[in-house]
Amino acid sequence: MKYCLVEKDTCIACGACSIHAPDVFDYDTEGLAFNMLDNNTGKVEIPNDLTEMVIDAEFACPSLSIKVSDTPFT
């Protein structure tokens, strides 16, 4: 099980996350990335078929804004 969120205060909207995991990441009205599976709360499990893509996006993020955890975020 993996959970994910984007720290919006450090996101630079480079697009790396949406390239690696377009079914998970999108951009809000301010142009910042967010996890669209759970509206960026980090409380909904990432589906198994998307987990590898989310981890790739985490490593590709130049601002280290994508956070992936084995437990839900609080």
Side-chain angles (χ1 to χ4, degrees), residues 3 5 9 15-17 23 27 44-46 48-49 52 55 57-58 61 66 68-69:
Y3 301 84
L5 61 77
D9 55 335
C17 58
D23 293 332
Y27 296 91
V44 173
E45 182 182 342
I46 301 296
N48 288 335
D49 61 323
E52 187 175 331
I55 291 170
E58 175 188 27
C61 180
I66 298 173
V68 177
S69 174

Side-chain angles (χ1 to χ4, degrees), residues 10 13 17 23 28-29 33 44 52-53 56 60 65:
T10 58
C17 58
D23 293 332
D28 63 16
T29 57
V44 173
E52 187 175 331
M53 290 182 272
D56 289 346
S65 299

